[in-house]
Amino acid sequence: MSWFTNRSRPQQAQGGSAAEPEPPEPHEVQEPAADPAPPAQAPEEKEVIWQRPVEGPVWPPVVQTDSAGTHRDGAGLDRLYFDGQILVLTGWTSGDATLGLYSEKEPLAPLLRVEVPRPDVATAYAFSSPVTGYLLLWRGPFPEGAKVHARAGGRKQKSVALQDFAAADLEPDLSRILREYAPARGVLFDALRDLPDLLRTVAWSATPSHRPGDPRGYIDILKTVPDAGGLCVGWSLGRADFFVVDDRGACLDLAGALRWNRPDIFEGFSADYGADCAEAGFLQALPPTARGGSVVRLLARAGDDLILLHERTSEPAPLDAVGYARWAFSLPVPPERMVERFAAHDGPLLQRLIARMRQHPRNQPLVRRIGPVAAEPEVSLLIPLFGRYDFVDHQLLEFADDAFIRERCEVLYIVDDPNIAQPVQSAMERWWQLYRVPLTVVWGGRNRGFSGANNLGLSVARGRQILFLNSDVIPTAPGWLDALSARLDDNPEYALLGTRLLFPSGGVQHDGMTFEYSPAYGVYLNQHPGKGLAAGPATAGAIIDQAAATGACLIGHRAELLELGGFCEDYLIGDFEDSHLCLTAEAAGRRVGVCPDIALTHLERQSLGLFGSGDFRVRVMLFNAWLHQERWREALDRHAMHGMAGERL
């Protein structure tokens, strides 16, 4: 790219920053509003490419005259900004004259050179040659003894070393230079991208443009979470490069923003901007360094122009991971673009918030037991409770008829919801009196999610084996757990065994899981083959190898589960933790299987519905699928290829 330019650009009038009207505000993402109107015709603006400095030059011009006293050659230095990192000078030359930076009499080529006409100098001196104004920029390090040098003709010249300029001669404010040299804003913005303090000055020198056809844009949403990041959501259109810059000079290029079509913008502006209105909506993640209360500018870099489109102050986003997800997932990003969004934008932010949940102070859990619990249980049944606990009666009614569970196992209900902690503890006596099944209730003091609740139960369980069981999974006959426990013991090559789960209607809900790539969403999803179909025949005592089995009913040895680390707590609300555990076991050289002859009824996701449904649940699932794929892509590809080969056979 050439830094040379001599284009003319508009510049605000001498005397500073008159207030500019904001662009018409379209429908905002969060709150419906009127459709945007096409931009009003702005009054014709005069092209001003350079403003005459209010004060005099740094030094008097160096001028060469001929024998008749006519000004033939000349060089002038108007402004000099030098902070050790960069040197910016402005001035002019005419005829046989030079102005620049020299080291040992050799010129140092500037990184950036902007040229403008200087009719004021031509008029004042009546030079016989045209007069050209310059803005020149150099970046350090600067060689020792570097000098600013001006020469006119063969005899007139002046040189001053950088370190010898008096403080009074140096321009303290780069923004004043930018007001005088409007065409330099765009190229300086490019050149100073890695120097935030200076970039902030350039960004804050940008002014709005109301010329028809110039870029337009608006920031609808700007929210941050301290030390985690944030989101900038809005729209932009026109032929330009778009950026957001905060008041500390941190810059984000919107070339990497997630974009989608905004019908409101297309309707409001397509008459003037046509195809440039396509995919006007954008979403851009903000880095963890983004601050609440900071001012952010949306800028367009169009040709040599740097145009201010909109300015907004950041607001706080929800701090809790689930609260953030409820807010952020409601933004109108199409579902098929969500995985792309997580990968490129706020997936890492949400991971940080989930990690913070795990850093909550670990209070000692409250553990209450009722009834004569076995001293050395064969199996500990870990059953999380969230939102609803009415299923406990249905489970205990079945457990009461099962001597193996009642006499040789440990039944632990892990309360994962502060709203039901006290009612569940109060119900313990009633449950014991009704069903005579020894119970343990564990309350960890806060909501931990599916993985955290099960891991809490694992930490206090005493059984030789662990059965992870959902509260809405109901046995259909006694003896099932005795048989499942024995099968795990008899097949030591298996780390985890699941069971067949049926819908109340009798159709299959779960017979093992496979991984299937969804082209629509761009991610692997967990699938339950045969779901909803009539249950097929099941051979007594058989184990069917599977890629994974659901955590709704999954058994393993306690010592091995602890070694594997239990359930991963990086997922949101509840999805994919079970397949993550199964893939962890597989990576350790172990096998996963399902016992289809052992069947229970699963009401499925009765408590998860309390977190929301519809679009929110889909987006939660997609976030967890993205995270699952990030961790296990190679294994998922391998299982998918194996499944395809099996289908061909």
Side-chain angles (χ1 to χ4, degrees):
M1 174 181 177
S2 170
W3 294 114
F4 177 82
T5 176
N6 60 2
R7 299 181 188 174
S8 298
R9 295 298 174 204
Q11 170 69 18
Q12 70 182 50
Q14 175 75 31
S17 53
E20 298 277 1
E22 289 193 345
E25 185 170 334
H27 156 124
E28 289 202 16
V29 168
Q30 286 184 298
E31 299 180 4
D35 287 336
Q41 290 286 341
E44 185 177 352
E45 299 182 14
K46 291 185 178 180
E47 295 279 336
V48 181
I49 57 177
W50 170 84
Q51 281 192 175
R52 180 171 181 158
V54 176
E55 297 153 356
V58 175
W59 61 40
V62 177
V63 178
Q64 175 73 53
T65 59
D66 59 18
S67 57
T70 302
H71 297 122
R72 188 178 63 190
D73 310 308
L77 177 63
D78 292 328
R79 295 267 184 267
L80 187 71
Y81 177 89
F82 179 59
D83 65 0
Q85 298 181 95
I86 67 167
L87 168 67
V88 178
L89 66 81
T90 63
W92 53 268
T93 64
S94 179
D96 180 17
T98 58
L99 176 67
L101 184 67
Y102 286 74
S103 175
E104 298 295 332
K105 298 185 179 180
E106 294 294 326
L108 298 174
L111 174 66
L112 189 155
R113 176 189 182 99
V114 178
E115 294 186 3
V116 297
R118 288 293 298 272
D120 60 317
V121 177
T123 300
Y125 287 91
F127 284 113
S128 57
S129 301
V131 179
T132 302
Y134 301 96
L135 180 144
L136 306 173
L137 177 140
W138 292 263
R139 289 192 57 165
F142 296 93
E144 187 176 353
K147 297 180 178 181
V148 177
H149 180 81
R151 178 190 60 80
R155 300 188 301 275
K156 300 286 187 175
Q157 59 183 341
K158 183 171 184 177
S159 294
V160 176
L162 286 177
Q163 66 268 21
D164 292 340
F165 277 94
D169 291 333
L170 297 177
E171 174 58 58
D173 187 1
L174 183 60
S175 62
R176 184 160 62 169
I177 292 178
L178 292 168
R179 287 196 298 270
E180 294 172 0
Y181 274 78
R185 294 172 186 166
V187 287
L188 275 171
F189 185 80
D190 293 336
L192 303 179
R193 200 77 57 80
D194 60 331
L195 299 175
D197 290 344
L198 295 172
L199 188 70
R200 191 267 181 207
T201 300
V202 179
W204 257 250
S205 73
T207 56
S209 171
H210 302 290
R211 294 174 305 189
D214 271 1
R216 306 294 299 271
Y218 196 84
I219 300 174
D220 292 306
I221 297 168
L222 186 70
K223 292 194 175 186
T224 59
V225 179
D227 302 317
L231 284 178
C232 179
V233 182
W235 58 270
S236 63
L237 56 86
R239 299 184 182 182
D241 297 322
F242 298 96
F243 303 86
V244 287
V245 183
D246 72 9
D247 50 18
R248 293 189 298 180
C251 177
L252 289 173
D253 188 339
L254 293 185
L258 181 72
R259 285 194 172 270
W260 68 96
N261 188 54
R262 286 275 300 265
D264 58 325
I265 302 303
F266 196 89
E267 181 180 351
F269 293 98
S270 60
D272 291 325
Y273 290 84
D276 290 341
C277 292
E279 296 200 323
F282 70 79
L283 178 146
Q284 173 66 53
L286 304 175
T289 53
R291 298 172 300 122
S294 61
V295 179
V296 171
R297 285 191 154 197
L298 174 62
L299 303 174
R301 170 81 161 84
D304 295 326
D305 283 341
L306 187 66
I307 301 171
L308 171 62
L309 304 180
H310 191 230
E311 183 176 287
R312 183 178 284 276
T313 301
S314 66
E315 301 173 350
L319 302 178
D320 175 71
V322 176
Y324 175 88
R326 287 188 185 281
W327 164 71
F329 292 2
S330 69
L331 301 177
V333 176
E336 63 272 15
R337 306 290 299 279
M338 290 297 289
V339 170
E340 177 188 349
R341 165 186 168 175
F342 296 138
H345 293 282
D346 56 340
L349 188 161
L350 193 47
Q351 287 179 275
R352 294 183 193 105
L353 297 185
I354 293 171
R356 286 182 185 177
M357 291 169 56
R358 299 199 306 269
Q359 295 167 2
H360 192 282
R362 298 283 181 167
N363 299 326
Q364 283 295 109
L366 175 65
V367 180
R368 293 187 59 192
R369 305 182 191 275
I370 192 167
V373 180
E376 295 182 355
E378 288 292 316
V379 183
S380 292
L381 292 78
L382 306 187
I383 309 169
L385 297 177
F386 178 85
R388 298 178 62 175
Y389 59 95
D390 50 312
F391 296 118
V392 172
D393 284 283
H394 299 281
Q395 282 187 329
L396 292 178
L397 184 63
E398 300 300 329
F399 294 168
D401 288 338
D402 196 316
F404 178 75
I405 294 177
R406 194 176 61 249
E407 298 170 6
R408 299 173 58 190
C409 295
E410 178 185 36
V411 178
L412 294 92
Y413 284 102
I414 303 102
V415 180
D416 195 43
D417 182 350
N419 295 315
I420 64 170
Q422 189 56 50
V424 168
Q425 293 175 59
S426 299
M428 288 180 69
E429 180 67 29
R430 177 178 65 84
W431 289 332
W432 168 245
Q433 294 297 333
L434 283 174
Y435 307 111
R436 310 306 289 182
V437 176
L439 294 176
T440 300
V441 170
V442 181
W443 164 231
R446 64 185 180 90
N447 172 246
R448 298 166 185 256
F450 174 84
S451 294
N454 275 303
N455 289 342
L456 176 62
L458 182 60
S459 71
V460 301
R462 298 178 298 144
R464 182 176 60 86
Q465 295 174 344
I466 298 294
L467 177 79
F468 300 110
L469 188 69
N470 279 14
S471 64
D472 55 358
V473 172
I474 312 298
T476 57
W480 64 277
L481 184 53
D482 193 0
L484 185 62
S485 172
R487 203 167 303 176
L488 183 66
D489 286 334
D490 293 342
N491 296 273
E493 68 273 26
Y494 287 91
L496 298 165
L497 290 179
T499 67
R500 173 175 283 176
L501 298 179
L502 303 174
F503 288 114
S505 61
V508 171
Q509 186 272 324
H510 173 78
D511 241 347
M513 284 193 289
T514 60
F515 308 119
E516 182 179 308
Y517 187 78
S518 168
Y521 293 122
V523 71
Y524 276 101
L525 301 178
N526 290 354
Q527 299 294 349
H528 296 252
K531 185 172 183 177
L533 301 179
T539 303
I543 299 176
I544 307 300
D545 278 40
Q546 294 286 359
T550 179
C553 185
L554 190 66
I555 195 169
H557 290 284
R558 181 165 64 94
E560 184 169 13
L561 288 167
L562 289 170
E563 186 177 339
L564 292 173
F567 283 105
C568 176
E569 298 184 29
D570 293 346
Y571 296 91
L572 183 66
I573 299 177
D575 271 318
F576 294 87
E577 300 101 324
D578 42 15
S579 54
H580 185 110
L581 178 60
C582 293
L583 290 171
T584 302
E586 179 190 70
R590 310 285 281 133
R591 293 164 70 179
V592 177
V594 170
C595 307
D597 61 317
I598 302 175
L600 296 85
T601 298
H602 188 196
L603 305 181
E604 193 179 23
R605 293 180 179 267
Q606 294 299 309
S607 57
L608 278 180
L610 298 172
F611 279 104
S613 58
D615 289 347
F616 178 65
R617 282 299 308 160
V618 169
R619 284 162 167 76
V620 168
M621 179 270 292
L622 290 173
F623 170 77
N624 288 329
W626 164 74
L627 183 59
H628 188 254
Q629 180 171 280
E630 289 287 297
R631 303 287 177 82
W632 298 107
R633 183 61 188 254
E634 184 177 341
L636 297 174
D637 287 342
R638 184 178 67 253
H639 279 288
M641 291 299 295
H642 179 75
M644 291 172 60
E647 289 176 7
R648 288 195 294 270
L649 292 174

